[in-house]
Amino acid sequence: MVTNATGDERANPLAGKRAKGQAYLEFLADMHGAIGPDWYLEVGTQTGKSLLAADCACVSVDPEFTLKHEIMGAKPGLMLFQDTSDRFFESGFLDRLGVRFDLAFLDGMHLYEYLLRDFMNAEGYMTKGGTVVMHDCLPFEPSMAERDRRNAKTRAWTGDVWKVIPILREYRPDLEITVYDAAPTGLTIIRNLDPGNTVLRDRYDEIIAKYDQITDVTTQVRAFEVVSTDRSPWKGGAAAKTSAPRRMALPAPALTAVTSASSVAAAPVFPKGDGPLSFVIQTAAPNARVMPNWGDYFFAKGLAEALERQGHKARIQARNRWNVSEAPGEIDIVLRGRADYARRGSTPTLYWVISGGEHVPRPELEQADHIFVAGKALADRWSRQVGADKVSVMWQAFDATRMPMPPERVKRTGIVFVGIARKMRPIVQIAMQTRYSLKLWGNGWRETEAAKYVVADRIDNDDLGGLYTGAEIVLNDQTRIMRKAGLVSNRIFDALACGAPVVTTPTGGLPEDFRPFVTEVSTPEEFTEAVRAIRAETKEQRAARDAFARKMRETHSFDARASEVLAKVTELRDIKLAAE
């Protein structure tokens, strides 16, 4: 029900009439005046009209600006990024900028999963007393809330971003959420933010699976508690800022930029001579302090040590030092994570995409000298975009110094899974519907139905090999993004290298030599049959598994991958020398 301060009924959402409150741009202007933000973030700027009220330092993101207004005004700084919001937040620019926003306005793509990601990402860069404003959560006619804009019977289109309100109320009850009937399609004000909260990110797949099924827009939106107002409460009201706003100085002159996260590729300059090469492995970890907590760090460490065993130099850098050079003639190996990478000028640049990859923009692909992809499906897709000679499959790997071969007569026991819970892993959920007992290591499991199976909240990386060499079965699952790209989890490589059978949810594409030793399951019945088959394996089958574990040292270890990297660098250098 929509009510005003006296309790009178107003135009109900989805009654065929637009919201009757103050026009949303005037409402937003009142908020700017009252809050007096030092920094303002805007997702979805388009013509620039929504930027006019801001007179502070601003960051604006839009995939296709069509500016029609003089938006600089008295702003001390304005940065415009012509890119999708997903790629912008993944680029790491805000980490490098090092600011926190007091006010953010989210008016991007009108599909709920996009707005949810925009909120998740924006909240991480807000001040604790900051305010996030979301637009278009009050459709006034059912068809305008259709996911396909072509089905809207009205000129305006809100899409299904209304779903973000019940999502936040269900999963983030700590937030203060107020929906106003700002004309024509409402404004949602969110306060009491917690930049360090990861609930939405941790449970994202669960949320999407649930809310994809919720389509009754009329019932849902009419249940909203909507505050009506002829004038926003920020117009000299209690919500107004009582002290004079601070202004964060920017270097003069004020910065105005229209850019994307990627840079133009420069011709690589390879070191001359036959001496040792110097590699920099660039990870997406924000800084060195947190880097050891990132899974990619151990991956980078395994590759660096393998390169050093072959006589070369290698070091690992976090995102805040991506542009740092410590020696001439360095070669970058980018472990592409959830952050866009800008090439370091003429530094030879190789990518190794081991996870994600769904949102890497084409200009970024084009700036690389070569792209290794740990999955055939994604490699094939990118080959069509940037050329088959620039992309090749290079699977993930295992560290042979930490994943030992098992003793010949070891007795294997336990069905084990190592990894964070993410609310509930699909493979564990399937296993729990069978009669088999499990052993779990990882954060988050004690708050789930699987709590009784928890052995410890973590296991040291150096102890993981010992666990796998004695495990009867190692469980694995794949995220939706990895499965779509055919990127096979590093966990499978580790387990097979220790001679352990693997049971996993569908992977999207295993290396051919893995198929005899990995069982993919989707149901409890398939899981039960897989366990029975493994327990009934013959001596010959066991010997074949152990032989494959030994063979993996030659084919799938970090030493093998280091050799592939070195061969590609030699090839690229020879091609460049021949062209000079």
Side-chain angles (χ1 to χ4, degrees), residues 226-242:
V226 183
V227 176
S228 66
T229 175
D230 294 319
R231 203 66 188 155
S232 81
W234 277 266
K235 187 66 173 180
K241 191 172 181 179
T242 57

Side-chain angles (χ1 to χ4, degrees), residues 113-316:
E113 64 271 28
Y114 285 80
L115 180 57
L116 178 60
R117 291 199 301 270
D118 286 345
F119 175 79
M120 288 174 357
N121 286 322
E123 185 184 23
Y125 295 99
M126 301 297 294
T127 60
K128 286 194 174 182
T131 303
V132 172
V133 184
M134 303 189 307
H135 191 211
D136 292 319
C137 292
L138 283 181
F140 52 81
E141 202 277 332
S143 75
M144 71 189 299
E146 291 279 348
R147 286 179 64 85
D148 188 338
R149 185 169 192 167
R150 293 170 296 183
N151 294 332
K153 298 176 183 178
T154 54
R155 182 177 179 182
W157 175 62
T158 63
D160 61 353
V161 295
W162 60 267
K163 291 183 180 181
V164 176
I165 295 175
I167 287 172
L168 294 182
R169 285 180 171 155
E170 177 179 358
Y171 290 89
R172 290 291 306 280
D174 56 307
L175 296 171
E176 295 177 3
I177 304 171
T178 308
V179 183
Y180 289 93
D181 68 338
T185 53
L187 287 176
T188 303
I189 311 302
I190 305 172
R191 309 189 83 175
N192 196 38
L193 303 172
D194 180 1
N197 192 299
T198 64
V199 169
L200 298 174
R201 197 174 304 279
D202 294 342
R203 301 177 70 174
Y204 178 80
D205 289 342
E206 170 199 336
I207 294 169
I208 298 304
K210 178 177 181 177
Y211 277 84
D212 274 350
Q213 307 305 314
I214 297 175
T215 57
D216 186 1
V217 57
T218 301
T219 300
Q220 294 284 333
V221 173
R222 282 183 175 171
F224 288 175
E225 198 173 303
V226 183
V227 176
S228 66
T229 175
D230 294 319
R231 203 66 188 155
S232 81
W234 277 266
K235 187 66 173 180
K241 191 172 181 179
T242 57
S243 59
R246 303 183 326 273
R247 290 290 180 232
M248 183 174 291
L250 287 178
L255 172 63
T256 305
V258 180
T259 183
S260 71
S262 303
S263 63
V264 178
V269 176
F270 288 94
K272 295 183 172 22
D274 298 323
L277 299 174
S278 182
F279 290 93
V280 180
I281 303 175
Q282 308 276 33
T283 75
N287 54 61
R289 180 179 58 82
V290 303
M291 190 160 58
N293 297 323
W294 285 56
D296 286 3
Y297 169 71
F298 296 102
F299 204 87
K301 188 175 179 182
L303 178 59
E305 291 172 354
L307 289 165
E308 289 170 348
R309 283 193 291 272
Q310 299 197 33
H312 302 281
K313 300 175 182 178
R315 60 187 181 85
I316 304 169

Side-chain angles (χ1 to χ4, degrees), residues 252-372:
L255 172 63
T256 305
V258 180
T259 183
S260 71
S262 303
S263 63
V264 178
V269 176
F270 288 94
K272 295 183 172 22
D274 298 323
L277 299 174
S278 182
F279 290 93
V280 180
I281 303 175
Q282 308 276 33
T283 75
N287 54 61
R289 180 179 58 82
V290 303
M291 190 160 58
N293 297 323
W294 285 56
D296 286 3
Y297 169 71
F298 296 102
F299 204 87
K301 188 175 179 182
L303 178 59
E305 291 172 354
L307 289 165
E308 289 170 348
R309 283 193 291 272
Q310 299 197 33
H312 302 281
K313 300 175 182 178
R315 60 187 181 85
I316 304 169
Q317 285 195 153
R319 194 162 62 203
N320 64 336
R321 287 177 56 84
W322 274 351
N323 290 323
V324 175
S325 297
E326 293 186 1
E330 290 181 331
I331 298 170
D332 283 345
I333 301 174
V334 180
L335 295 184
R336 182 52 159 84
R338 295 182 62 82
D340 289 0
Y341 184 81
R343 178 184 176 134
R344 296 196 293 162
S346 60
T347 301
T349 304
L350 288 75
Y351 274 46
W352 192 3
V353 181
I354 58 176
S355 64
E358 193 174 58
H359 301 298
V360 181
R362 182 168 178 171
E364 186 181 344
L365 298 178
E366 291 172 342
Q367 75 177 348
D369 296 305
H370 192 78
I371 304 165
F372 295 114

